[in-house]
Amino acid sequence: MTRRRDLLRQGVAACLATPLIGRTQAPAAAAYDWRSLPFGGGGFVDGFVFHPRERGLLYARTDIGGLYRHDPSAGRWLPLLDHLGRADADLMGVLSIAVDPADPDRLYAACGLYTGRWSRTGALLASHDRGARWQVHELGIGLGGNEPGRGSGERLQVDPWRGERLWLGSARDGLHRSDDHGRRFSRVAGCPGQQPTLVLLDPTSGGAGQPCRRLWVGCHDQPGLWVSSDGGDHFEREPVAPGQVPQRAVLGPQGTLYVSFARPRGATLANPGELDGGSVWKRDSAGRWSEISPRPAGRFGWSGLDVDRQRPGRLVVATIERWAEGDELFVSDDDGVHWQPLGPRSRHDDSRHPWPADYRRHGDRLGHWIADLKIDPFQGDRAVYGTGYGLWMTDQLRAPRIDWRFEVDGLEETAVLGLRSPSGGATLLAAMGDVGGGAWEDTARAPSAGLFQPCRETNRAVDAAWQTPAIVVRTADQAATGGYWSADGGASWRPFPTAPFAPQGGQRPLAGELAVSARGGFWLCALAGRGAVTSADRGRRWAPCEGWPARGAPVAERSVEGVFYAFDPDRGQVLGSTDGGARFTPIITGLPVLADWQSAQLHCSPAAPRALWLALPDGLWFLGGEGRPRPLPTVQAAWCITTGAPAPGRREPALFLWGQLRGDGAEGLFRSDDEGRSWLRIDDPQHRYGRLLSIEGDPLQHGTVYLAPHGRGVVMGRPRTGGAG
């Protein structure tokens, strides 16, 4: 496997001057290019909307990674919510999307991650230009875009006759209506439930500027399908429809209503959530209901559902949470009288994104969590369906053999939990939730030989020995021994000989955070509530770290072998160990003490021994040099800090900060080439990426920085050729 052979110049790592303390200056701007590193999906794609009147206009929503528009000519997805800043990061969770049937340029998204009081309340995002620009209309209620039940819908609808009228089914606060394009919503008192799952309008009940009078609503807490014939003033239950939770509903070209249902187990919410059954029903244009469920064995629900608008009577439906065999798609050409499974006729091509081949190693199955599927209203052969790990598209839905392609270019909805750009070898290492992660040699291509296999595990952290970058170690929650290590820079992997922490409650070992010493001779793992352990023999034996704080993440010294650090936020001190992590003692005291809900990040620069930077909610501290630790007067708040390659002609590493500067109070991403005396702003209004879990500077390429936004994969920023900075 080809790897970078460059090493950081010894002169660069020779020394670090004490930061220059000067007056606060307004940040200049550096022109940066931002793009997602290709990995390929990885998260729950839970909803799609085709525009009914414009060919090829397709949107996809995700639970934590934002909203996307498909570019059919390029075969890739365009992210539409990367402009959201830290204060609006929770709006990256999209509970529902809607288009205006009469205006292809109008797009709406109901956004919010959670319904808890600690989360940002939800908002309706409205666009007049297909998601290029947005207006934010606050809702004042929580929306659970990443909570159980998020796979049903769509809960958001635009009246086809009165585009200013919107209907919104919230996660826990009932049904709402707006008559001014979503600027203000009011609660619909007649809706029977508090937890709507879908809203569907009947376009034949309105016309000539008159809004739709008939609408259907499904609810988690009031199973069955509810209908209103007076514009939402009163609702009554459809008497024949089953007492199950509606998941998806669609009106066919001849006026037939089709509905998929799921029956939750106990009080759980459906889709996703534990299910005890489900069914598929239709209501013909005369109002007669009949069950049309396919009849495979098992206890599961039904979700994704759509009709071929070019062929009346042709429809496709998907199972949900059919765990034993995997979810399945069924097609009917006679209005639900007979069904055929599509799995035996399907082939899936994931060759351009190597990780799914390992993820789906048990066979060529359709996938899991098929919450939604859509057939192109203009081309019945073209279809898309989502899974818990991405989406599949085809142009051969009517063919005897259906070839599906993993068309996720640009849709990088992966939870990245750790980043490391080593001093040599791989360009970047990334630990990911659920799908392992990988080592990029070429940032223009998805990792292949550098995959973190098995790809079904959550990798919590990854680190490489700074002076011996061929040694790479990563932790994995579901691994038999808690992690893996590599002696060739991530080209091949071996499991830990023994687990850092013993299993509890019959589960596999957990390993948590990780740091590797400068030459790779010591590995230190820390797990919340379990303390920290260290190994000096590549994981054969683990010993407890004496003096480890109740809260802390391990950081390795990069200039000296066997030295580790940790910040203790409960006592406001930095602890150090010079014996490979066996014993930690305070080395820096008098730092701010943090509340239990606050977080900090300690970073060790490779420039010199004990060149420590500490990012705190109220500022950035430099803890090295001969003087006392001091906060930088230029920084008001620091949420993430990292170092990268020095600017040309300088010896000190560049600093990358996600935080807030003093003076003008600017928030965002900044770079400093003079140890924090002055800063360049490197993000822009279209590239904020919500909440960042980690940032990592490239030690070999000046100005290059890698971001791990919450749910948006890995993003790379580089100075624009010919731009400032």
Side-chain angles (χ1 to χ4, degrees):
M1 183 177 184
T2 303
R3 296 292 188 189
R4 292 193 307 179
R5 301 302 178 190
D6 299 325
L7 294 175
L8 203 59
R9 297 186 184 92
Q10 295 298 318
V12 171
C15 64
L16 178 71
T18 302
L20 301 174
I21 307 299
R23 64 183 179 86
T24 301
Q25 300 177 359
Y32 260 62
D33 289 320
W34 297 95
R35 66 176 178 88
S36 293
L37 261 62
F39 185 77
F44 188 17
V45 184
D46 48 7
F48 304 95
V49 172
F50 274 104
H51 196 278
R53 298 187 183 180
E54 179 163 329
R55 183 183 295 269
L57 185 53
L58 169 64
Y59 298 94
R61 64 176 167 96
T62 69
D63 55 356
I64 62 173
L67 173 66
Y68 299 81
R69 185 178 73 243
H70 190 244
D71 180 353
S73 62
R76 62 181 298 109
W77 295 85
L78 306 175
L80 302 180
L81 300 186
D82 286 351
H83 68 284
L84 295 173
R86 178 173 177 264
D88 292 328
D90 282 1
L91 301 184
M92 292 290 278
V94 185
L95 183 65
S96 192
I97 51 179
V99 297
D100 186 337
D103 185 351
D105 291 333
R106 284 191 179 269
L107 173 66
Y108 299 92
C111 299
L113 278 173
Y114 305 108
T115 56
R117 293 182 178 179
W118 42 267
S119 179
R120 186 203 191 283
T121 56
L124 183 89
L125 274 59
S127 174
H128 296 221
D129 51 14
R130 309 185 185 199
R133 292 167 295 181
W134 296 93
Q135 293 178 327
V136 179
H137 305 309
E138 299 295 340
L139 295 172
I141 57 175
L143 294 181
N146 192 35
E147 291 185 340
R150 59 194 181 274
S152 62
E154 290 298 318
R155 297 169 171 88
L156 182 63
Q157 299 289 344
V158 180
D159 193 296
W161 301 104
R162 292 277 296 274
E164 68 272 20
R165 174 165 289 187
L166 276 64
W167 297 87
L168 171 62
S170 68
R172 297 181 182 274
D173 295 278
L175 180 66
H176 298 252
R177 192 181 79 187
S178 171
D179 288 312
D180 57 5
H181 294 290
R183 295 180 180 86
R184 293 175 298 275
F185 279 88
S186 58
R187 178 78 175 266
V188 177
C191 181
Q194 303 298 311
Q195 298 173 302
T197 59
L198 62 83
V199 179
L200 183 66
L201 306 180
D202 182 357
T204 66
S205 66
Q210 296 300 313
C212 293
R213 301 291 292 169
R214 185 182 300 114
L215 66 151
W216 289 274
V217 175
C219 295
H220 281 293
D221 55 326
Q222 293 289 338
L225 188 66
W226 299 82
V227 61
S228 172
S229 299
D230 56 9
D233 290 339
H234 303 88
F235 283 84
E236 60 183 16
R237 181 172 166 175
E238 290 278 9
V240 183
Q244 301 171 2
V245 179
Q247 298 301 300
R248 296 280 171 176
V250 60
L251 281 165
Q254 294 181 323
T256 302
L257 171 66
Y258 304 91
V259 187
S260 61
F261 293 86
R263 183 172 59 241
R265 184 175 302 170
T268 60
L269 299 183
N271 195 0
E274 296 185 17
L275 300 179
D276 199 35
S279 56
V280 184
W281 289 69
K282 71 177 181 181
R283 175 189 183 274
D284 65 22
S285 57
R288 294 183 296 264
W289 283 91
S290 57
E291 183 178 1
I292 57 171
S293 305
R295 298 297 180 184
R299 304 181 73 87
F300 49 85
W302 297 92
S303 184
L305 173 68
D306 205 6
V307 298
D308 186 338
R309 301 187 182 280
Q310 307 302 312
R311 289 190 180 183
R314 191 167 199 268
L315 61 150
V316 182
V317 68
T319 67
I320 188 73
E321 299 188 32
R322 183 175 179 247
W323 293 113
E325 303 88 355
D327 279 331
E328 179 63 273
L329 300 177
F330 290 86
V331 62
S332 174
D333 288 311
D334 54 11
D335 212 29
V337 177
H338 302 91
W339 295 91
Q340 291 183 340
L342 292 185
R345 296 163 48 189
S346 295
R347 300 293 183 270
H348 291 78
D349 179 9
D350 53 20
S351 58
R352 296 184 62 252
H353 301 279
W355 74 268
D358 180 81
Y359 187 87
R360 303 185 310 114
R361 63 187 180 277
H362 296 300
D364 190 11
R365 298 180 177 180
L366 293 171
H368 71 285
W369 281 5
I370 304 181
D372 196 19
L373 66 90
K374 288 292 187 293
I375 301 173
D376 190 325
F378 295 92
Q379 183 181 344
D381 276 332
R382 184 177 183 229
V384 58
Y385 74 87
T387 72
Y389 61 87
L391 63 89
W392 296 91
M393 300 187 75
T394 186
D395 297 315
Q396 303 168 327
L397 188 63
R398 297 171 179 168
R401 168 175 163 165
I402 304 172
D403 291 319
W404 299 91
R405 58 189 182 274
F406 198 56
E407 192 158 308
V408 293
D409 285 357
L411 199 158
E412 295 290 346
E413 194 225 351
T414 307
V416 178
L417 305 180
L419 294 175
R420 184 67 71 231
S421 185
S423 59
T427 300
L428 186 71
L429 309 163
M432 299 177 175
D434 298 328
V435 294
W440 279 264
E441 164 64 20
D442 182 354
T443 58
R445 297 183 179 183
S448 53
L451 280 177
F452 292 178
Q453 297 175 321
C455 290
R456 282 182 172 266
E457 296 176 342
T458 290
N459 281 218
R460 290 287 169 183
V462 61
D463 199 11
W466 187 256
Q467 297 177 12
T468 314
I471 298 177
V472 183
V473 186
R474 58 188 172 96
T475 59
D477 280 356
Q478 292 86 13
T481 55
Y484 305 86
W485 72 282
S486 173
D488 53 16
S492 62
W493 296 93
R494 311 174 201 179
F496 290 171
T498 61
F501 299 96
Q504 289 184 335
Q507 298 180 349
R508 286 191 169 187
L510 304 178
E513 299 295 326
L514 168 74
V516 178
S517 63
R519 297 181 183 175
F522 300 92
W523 306 348
L524 197 154
C525 292
L527 183 61
R530 302 286 299 276
V533 293
T534 183
S535 175
D537 55 8
R538 295 184 173 179
R540 294 180 178 86
R541 294 179 298 273
W542 299 88
C545 299
E546 181 183 341
W548 186 257
R551 293 191 290 158
V555 175
E557 170 62 63
R558 298 181 175 183
S559 301
V560 182
E561 171 69 351
V563 176
F564 292 95
Y565 306 103
F567 174 62
D568 183 352
D570 299 317
R571 293 179 172 83
Q573 58 188 16
V574 172
L575 309 177
S577 170
T578 58
D579 53 10
R583 184 171 182 269
F584 281 83
T585 58
I587 59 173
I588 300 172
T589 59
L591 299 172
V593 174
L594 303 186
D596 57 5
W597 51 270
Q598 293 179 305
S599 61
Q601 182 208 346
L602 185 66
H603 173 78
C604 185
S605 168
R610 200 183 287 190
L612 298 174
W613 295 88
L614 180 62
L616 292 171
D618 61 354
L620 176 65
W621 290 62
F622 180 69
L623 309 179
E626 299 298 329
R628 298 181 59 185
R630 68 188 72 184
L632 269 67
T634 53
V635 178
Q636 183 169 320
W639 307 308
C640 286
I641 187 68
T642 188
T643 51
R650 304 191 73 99
R651 295 191 303 172
E652 64 275 10
L655 289 175
F656 294 95
L657 168 73
W658 183 49
Q660 181 180 22
L661 300 186
R662 295 193 185 277
D664 65 354
E667 289 187 6
L669 280 163
F670 305 93
R671 191 187 84 222
S672 175
D673 294 326
D674 56 10
E675 301 169 303
R677 180 174 59 181
S678 61
W679 297 91
L680 292 168
R681 180 155 202 162
I682 61 174
D683 62 358
D684 59 63
Q686 297 304 313
H687 301 93
R688 299 278 193 250
Y689 301 107
R691 180 181 301 109
L692 304 184
L693 302 183
S694 177
I695 64 175
E696 178 78 358
D698 192 304
L700 306 179
Q701 299 177 1
H702 173 251
T704 298
V705 64
Y706 308 97
L707 315 179
H710 180 257
R712 264 291 277 119
V714 179
V715 174
M716 179 177 70
R718 281 180 171 170
R720 187 171 302 158
T721 302

